[in-house]
Amino acid sequence: MQYCTFHLGDQLFGVDVLKVQEVIRGLGVTPVPRAPEAVVGLMNLRGSIVTAIDARQRMGLPPAPGQTSPINIITRTASGVVSLRVDSIGDVLDAESIETEAVPSTAGARERQFTQGVCKLEHGLLQILDADRLANIEITAATDVSRR
Amino acid sequence: MDKDFQASLIGELVVESLEGLDAFDADLLALESAASNPQEPLRNAFRRIHTIKGSSACVGISPVERLAHVAENLLSRMRDGKMTVTPVLISSLLQTADRLRNMMHDLDRTGQCEGHDNRDLIELLHAMTDDGVPAAPATFGFFNLPEPGEPAEQVETPAVEMAAVEPSTFEASAGASAETPVAESSAVATPAPAPVSAPAPEARTQREEAAPPDDGGASRGSASENAIRLDVRHIDRLMNLVGELVLARNHIMQFASRLDPVLQGSVQRVNHITTELQQSVMKTRMQPVGNIWAKFPRVVRDVSQEVGKQVRLVMEGSDTELDRAVVEAIKDPLMHILRNAVDHGIERPEDRLAAGKPAEGRLCLRAFHEGGQVIIEVADDGRGIATAKVTAKAVERGLITAAQAAKLTEDEVFALIFLPGFSTAERVTSISGRGVGMDVVRSNIEKIGGAVDLRSTAGAGTTLRIKIPLTLAIIPALVIDCAGERFAIPQAALVELVWMDSQQRKIEYAAGRPVFRLRGSLLPLVYLDETLRMKRQAAAGEYVVVLRADGRQFGLVVDAIRDTEEIVVKPLAKELKDIGVYAGATIMGDGRVALILDVFSIARETGVLNSDAAAEHVRAETAAAVSQTESLLVIRAGGNRMAIPLRMVMRLEEVKADRIERASRGPVIQYRDSIMRVIDLSRSFNLMPAPAGDVVSLVVCAGKGEQVGLIVEQVEDIVEEAVSVRTSATQPGISGSGVVRGRVTDFIDVPAVAAMHGIRGLEA
């Protein structure tokens, strides 16, 4: 199982690499007024209109400080092709050899909604996220967790 | 037998049988009304039911085969002239078609046809077949065991519709025990028509997702060699690709002028080819409106029988073509209108005779193209609608006051019928119901960018006219700016554009809402930035886009108006669609995404469609007829202030001076696929021409047949006011002078100016 990893602040996250179509920087976004907070807007990806989702907002993190040029991880999810907007991209990691643990019960609501597991790496933790759930805006921190 | 093969056979069977049953219905109705010459409809009906019987036998669906067989015997006797055609007979056969249809739907959904007990109908048909002898024993398909007592060699091969087999080959009088085996080689294969395109087998198993095959070409039941059956998803994919090509082409065209001239030629070729490709592919989405009309004669017949009326449905223009999506969208509204007409419009036969009309009422459904749209008219020769009754009902329901009612014109009275909660039906019937009225019909039609109106003469009849756009996929739209972002508004909803200078225009308040006085009537205003909860940008002048929704008008306040463009409509993700105010998204020529506004939803959400505003508008409109304001475009030319009647103005353009070319007739410019004459107003009126710059202001005017570009120094304003002090014409091309906003202004007579330069056809 390989993961495409990315950074939000100083935290490292990963999603199933097989779901990732491409990674693009610098694609303009048209905001959608009155859209849910997690929706940054719509982007033109070679003629297709793709929804851009703010990964920070989904994980309950504050907006990135200062001038940002977010990276778009174009992901195929159950809700269609979306762009996950992240701070920066990491390496593709092979989790075969790494120990994956379940999400601790002490984790916050958001972590439990979207995190599938946690890997202990040499220099920190890698949180594995469920791209489908992350892209499904109807699932929020407040959604009933027992549905998992 | 291989499971997949069986599944694909069943799929084929369902598709063909459903089509055949529709045709069967039409044949039965034709049979009913053509009592003097029944041979052809009889033969057709027989052939269709025969095909269904054979195909279902081949696949091994006995319940269908049994029922079809009995019906076939009955039709056979009828065809032999041994029975007369009666309405009861037709009704039973129609009922048979319905039962077969149900079984087909079941088969389609579940792959099985269980639990259908048709014994009652089978017995009825037997009884009607007159001699009471049970029909020929059911023949068996290849994959079933023979019925007990059946000689094993009796094999019936399915009569393939496409193979031109004469029905007489299968002639068998009822009661005969042997069907002639026919050595048709089509026996073994799936009953697939020969010219079907290769993907047909996959297409069948994926058929559940695709809409029923609305291929443009294959007509129902006829072995047309020019037709193919095609999975609808291929067409959609093609449409998408062409849409993207159009966008890419638009993007390239933006830079076309900067290209190497050699490359420019090729770019132009690509441009033209793309346009043609777009038009061709759009045509594949086109479907004759007759495809949904096919069911209507049956509906009209059933409803008339139910309410005891005699009605004949005449359909004209069934081959008029419309986009597939549009055709789907109007099916229900049309059905509703027809039911209404039969139920409430046409009188009972005795009343009609008493009124000197023929006992049979006539309902005429007509479709034709006009002005880039499709018009569908439903006309009946029934009792018509009495305006007095309408106003009385409207007053009774509190939709307008008696005083307002008195001042309405006939058109305005009929418009009341489309208000929600309005219904003049005396009885609530199960068919038309109460409250599911014309307002729902109208909103369904407006949702697809269409419009509907009604005319009627009491005692003589009513005509409903529906106008719908040819396609939904690519629409012309107006692009506007609001709070720093661009949005697109479908042109179908657009009435006009007004520039609202905050100093000169006052916003008034009626019933707590901001309104704007436009030619004497009050237009409710909606601030787009507020509706979208965006931050208001301070702007000295504001633009009001006057829009029409649900038959009423309101003004949308925006910051700036850009261009009109043909945009490709792309659907939104569900979460964004749920917001409600957006109808979709598009990609502009510069590659950026823009949202398309849903005019109807915005109007509904902000409440500008409520009756108070409507009534006020109605009242104000009539008041407006009395005042004498005009809309004028104020310009400067040759140093003088002039005005052009706004109704003659098509567009305002800024063009590079070098785009104006010389031709023998005079200066011209290439404008939107045509060559347009250009007139320099200052020269026309022998005034001092302005110093030549590299950009020229052009006012494009159009009349009935022609358009012309007027070069002006500057466009100053668009005003709307009662003009005072008019002096008469002093020179050709000027219709007079007046005082506009306190300044003396010459009024330009555009047709006259054009005529001075030899351009005719500008009369409005």
Side-chain angles (χ1 to χ4, degrees):
Chain A
M1 194 62 163
Q2 291 188 316
Y3 297 105
C4 169
T5 64
F6 56 89
H7 299 274
L8 296 177
D10 50 12
Q11 294 186 58
L12 186 66
F13 300 91
V15 288
D16 181 359
V17 74
L18 291 177
K19 290 191 146 77
V20 175
Q21 184 175 292
E22 60 192 288
V23 177
I24 299 188
R25 179 201 282 278
L27 207 51
V29 172
T30 300
V32 178
R34 286 173 54 170
E37 217 187 312
V39 175
V40 181
L42 297 173
M43 306 187 323
N44 171 9
L45 183 68
R46 295 185 298 276
S48 293
I49 297 188
V50 165
T51 310
I53 296 180
D54 185 347
R56 272 184 172 253
Q57 198 278 342
R58 292 300 270 158
M59 296 310 295
L61 297 169
Q67 284 281 45
T68 60
S69 65
I71 312 278
N72 297 290
I73 302 182
I74 310 294
T75 321
R76 279 182 294 268
T77 72
S79 324
V81 175
V82 302
S83 163
L84 294 173
R85 308 255 291 179
V86 303
D87 291 353
S88 60
I89 195 82
D91 296 325
V92 174
L93 293 183
D94 200 311
E96 229 74 61
S97 42
I98 312 170
E99 222 181 279
T100 309
E101 293 176 2
V103 181
S105 51
T106 51
R110 275 184 215 270
E111 281 79 51
R112 278 179 290 142
Q113 284 290 26
F114 304 121
T115 315
Q116 285 176 324
V118 182
C119 295
K120 272 211 262 280
L121 304 175
E122 257 185 61
H123 307 287
L125 296 176
L126 166 66
Q127 299 176 61
I128 310 290
L129 299 181
D130 182 338
D132 287 335
R133 286 183 72 84
L134 207 57
N136 183 351
I137 310 200
E138 284 174 12
I139 302 179
T140 61
T143 309
D144 184 14
V145 183
S146 63
R147 275 214 258 130
R148 284 194 79 176
Chain B
M1 167 165 51
D2 178 53
K3 257 220 171 94
D4 283 338
F5 186 53
Q6 172 77 339
S8 77
L9 283 186
I10 289 181
E12 292 261 358
L13 174 69
V14 169
V15 169
E16 287 185 15
S17 302
L18 286 175
E19 277 189 13
L21 284 170
D22 281 347
F24 186 63
D25 270 3
D27 293 329
L28 289 174
L29 291 173
L31 183 58
E32 196 175 27
S33 55
S36 54
N37 184 18
Q39 274 313 308
E40 183 157 336
L42 257 180
R43 267 208 299 273
N44 288 340
F46 177 89
R47 204 171 64 228
R48 303 207 200 278
I49 203 74
H50 182 80
T51 302
I52 292 176
K53 183 196 83 170
S55 307
S56 55
C58 182
V59 182
I61 314 292
S62 321
V64 172
E65 190 207 335
R66 272 198 290 275
L67 183 54
H69 187 88
V70 176
E72 182 198 41
N73 285 338
L74 181 54
L75 278 164
S76 173
R77 285 188 69 78
M78 287 164 71
R79 198 188 51 190
D80 292 344
K82 297 204 172 92
M83 298 181 61
T84 46
V85 176
T86 64
V88 174
L89 205 55
I90 300 288
S91 293
S92 314
L93 287 169
L94 287 172
Q95 197 186 4
T96 306
D98 285 342
R99 294 275 185 101
L100 287 169
R101 223 176 253 120
N102 283 344
M103 290 196 268
M104 284 299 152
H105 284 136
D106 219 8
L107 208 54
D108 189 24
R109 255 195 355 256
T110 65
Q112 320 267 24
C113 181
E114 315 260 303
H116 289 268
D117 186 356
N118 294 314
R119 278 176 300 187
D120 54 339
L121 188 53
I122 292 179
E123 274 171 30
L124 177 64
L125 293 173
H126 269 309
M128 286 182 173
T129 315
D130 216 13
D131 57 7
V133 172
T139 52
F140 62 93
F142 292 107
F143 309 104
N144 283 350
L145 294 173
E147 304 268 338
E150 261 294 309
E153 312 84 81
Q154 267 179 340
V155 164
E156 162 89 4
T157 54
V160 175
E161 187 65 42
M162 295 289 182
V165 175
E166 268 306 297
S168 55
T169 319
F170 296 95
E171 187 78 47
S173 49
S177 57
E179 299 270 15
T180 322
V182 176
E184 285 291 327
S185 59
S186 53
V188 181
T190 69
V196 80
S197 63
E202 305 105 64
R204 290 300 149 252
T205 51
Q206 292 156 351
R207 211 191 50 76
E208 287 78 38
E209 285 143 48
D214 10 6
D215 40 302
S219 38
R220 266 179 293 110
S222 83
S224 165
E225 275 144 16
N226 292 330
I228 59 166
R229 228 174 237 199
L230 191 57
D231 189 339
V232 147
R233 298 189 313 170
H234 291 317
I235 304 267
D236 283 343
R237 183 125 200 283
L238 203 55
M239 191 65 219
N240 271 343
L241 288 171
V242 170
E244 294 186 22
L245 185 62
V246 166
L247 294 176
R249 185 274 314 261
N250 291 350
H251 190 71
I252 292 176
M253 293 311 288
Q254 291 211 325
F255 305 105
S257 52
R258 298 190 222 160
L259 292 172
D260 186 292
V262 173
L263 190 51
Q264 273 193 17
S266 294
V267 166
Q268 270 306 343
R269 278 279 305 140
V270 169
N271 183 16
H272 286 139
I273 295 173
T274 305
T275 304
E276 273 197 51
L277 186 60
Q278 176 189 336
Q279 285 167 354
S280 286
V281 171
M282 300 279 268
K283 271 174 109 65
T284 64
R285 284 176 62 103
M286 301 300 252
Q287 212 190 45
V289 73
N291 283 6
I292 48 163
W293 283 10
K295 302 202 197 293
F296 288 169
R298 172 87 195 268
V299 169
V300 167
R301 179 191 187 273
D302 290 345
V303 174
S304 346
Q305 288 212 329
E306 212 177 299
V307 299
K309 310 227 175 119
Q310 293 172 23
V311 182
R312 191 159 66 96
L313 178 64
V314 172
M315 305 193 295
E316 272 174 40
S318 345
D319 52 358
T320 307
E321 291 192 328
L322 281 183
D323 183 288
R324 219 176 65 230
V326 174
V327 165
E328 272 309 306
I330 57 166
K331 190 165 72 164
D332 286 339
L334 275 182
M335 191 89 83
H336 189 86
I337 291 171
L338 286 177
R339 291 193 145 121
N340 249 355
V342 174
D343 198 10
H344 302 301
I346 306 276
E347 315 93 322
R348 302 186 69 94
E350 48 273 22
D351 297 333
R352 287 181 64 88
L353 289 169
K357 296 184 190 175
E360 184 184 67
R362 199 181 126 109
L363 200 48
C364 185
L365 189 56
R366 214 161 73 95
F368 53 95
H369 287 286
E370 187 185 81
Q373 291 191 308
V374 172
I375 315 285
I376 298 184
E377 274 186 3
V378 184
D380 69 64
D381 64 352
R383 62 168 63 98
I385 298 178
T387 50
K389 242 185 169 188
V390 173
T391 49
K393 206 78 177 181
V395 170
E396 179 194 314
R397 299 204 179 225
L399 298 169
I400 54 170
T401 69
Q404 291 165 339
K407 299 201 205 130
L408 298 177
T409 67
E410 195 181 61
D411 287 352
E412 287 164 339
V413 172
F414 291 135
L416 292 173
I417 295 177
F418 293 100
L419 292 176
F422 189 96
S423 168
T424 54
E426 266 133 23
R427 330 179 302 279
V428 176
T429 64
S430 61
I431 295 172
S432 315
R434 190 201 291 286
V436 181
M438 298 308 289
D439 60 317
V440 172
V441 167
R442 180 164 69 181
S443 46
N444 277 347
I445 290 174
E446 287 195 351
K447 267 201 186 77
I448 55 168
V452 59
D453 67 57
L454 185 154
R455 297 244 177 301
S456 181
T457 310
T462 307
T463 301
L464 240 103
R465 202 167 210 256
I466 302 175
K467 274 196 237 177
I468 33 190
L470 279 174
T471 180
L472 300 179
I474 298 187
I475 57 168
L478 178 73
V479 181
I480 55 111
D481 281 347
C482 178
E485 293 295 333
R486 273 182 311 179
F487 298 91
I489 301 177
Q491 202 172 63
L494 190 60
V495 177
E496 64 182 293
L497 303 174
V498 180
W499 186 53
M500 199 171 64
D501 183 329
S502 51
Q503 291 167 334
Q504 318 248 10
R505 303 270 178 206
K506 283 205 212 54
I507 299 186
E508 304 164 59
Y509 285 83
R513 323 192 89 98
V515 292
F516 177 70
R517 197 169 282 278
L518 185 64
R519 289 189 295 281
S521 70
L522 292 180
L523 196 66
L525 287 182
V526 171
Y527 284 84
L528 185 58
D529 46 18
E530 270 175 31
T531 305
L532 297 180
R533 298 171 206 159
M534 296 169 83
K535 239 194 293 245
R536 168 79 60 92
Q537 317 231 332
E542 285 172 334
Y543 289 87
V544 176
V545 181
V546 182
L547 298 169
R548 171 183 37 229
D550 211 21
R552 292 183 212 121
Q553 294 186 6
F554 70 99
L556 190 68
V557 182
V558 304
D559 296 344
I561 295 181
R562 289 170 173 262
D563 216 354
T564 312
E565 286 187 33
E566 293 239 316
I567 58 171
V568 181
V569 179
K570 299 213 173 233
L572 286 174
K574 179 176 179 307
E575 302 79 33
L576 300 178
K577 224 189 302 208
D578 287 344
I579 302 175
V581 292
Y582 305 117
T586 185
I587 298 182
M588 310 293 304
D590 64 2
R592 283 186 59 89
V593 175
L595 289 156
I596 305 171
L597 299 179
D598 182 340
V599 171
F600 185 82
S601 297
I602 292 178
R604 199 172 33 189
E605 184 185 281
T606 53
V608 292
L609 297 183
N610 64 51
S611 310
D612 295 334
E616 173 61 39
H617 185 70
V618 165
R619 179 202 68 78
E621 284 264 295
T622 44
V626 182
S627 67
Q628 285 163 359
T629 56
E630 270 179 66
S631 292
L632 299 166
L633 177 74
V634 180
I635 54 125
R636 193 185 2 258
N640 286 10
R641 207 168 130 98
M642 305 192 167
I644 301 174
L646 198 61
R647 66 189 145 75
M648 294 238 51
V649 176
M650 284 277 294
R651 296 175 59 92
L652 304 177
E653 302 270 7
E654 301 258 318
V655 303
K656 289 178 92 86
D658 58 9
R659 270 181 63 188
I660 300 181
E661 306 172 62
R662 299 223 61 85
S664 53
R665 300 172 285 165
V668 294
I669 187 171
Q670 292 179 38
Y671 186 70
R672 293 180 164 223
D673 300 332
S674 67
I675 299 177
M676 179 171 75
R677 291 280 305 273
V678 164
I679 297 175
D680 186 336
L681 283 180
S682 53
R683 274 185 231 278
S684 268
F685 298 129
N686 298 319
L687 299 166
M688 187 90 83
D694 55 1
V695 172
V696 162
S697 293
L698 205 63
V699 176
V700 180
C701 295
K704 253 199 320 237
E706 192 63 77
Q707 57 180 7
V708 69
L710 302 177
I711 295 180
V712 304
E713 268 170 50
Q714 195 175 330
V715 172
E716 298 213 335
D717 200 355
I718 294 177
V719 302
E720 170 65 51
E721 56 174 28
V723 174
S724 52
V725 187
R726 274 267 193 139
T727 64
S728 49
T730 48
Q731 67 175 112
I734 302 278
S735 60
S737 328
V739 176
V740 175
R741 294 286 162 81
R743 308 256 308 272
V744 173
T745 309
D746 290 328
F747 295 95
I748 300 179
D749 179 355
V750 176
V753 171
M756 275 159 53
H757 292 262
I759 306 171
R760 310 239 162 254
L762 258 126
E763 299 72 16

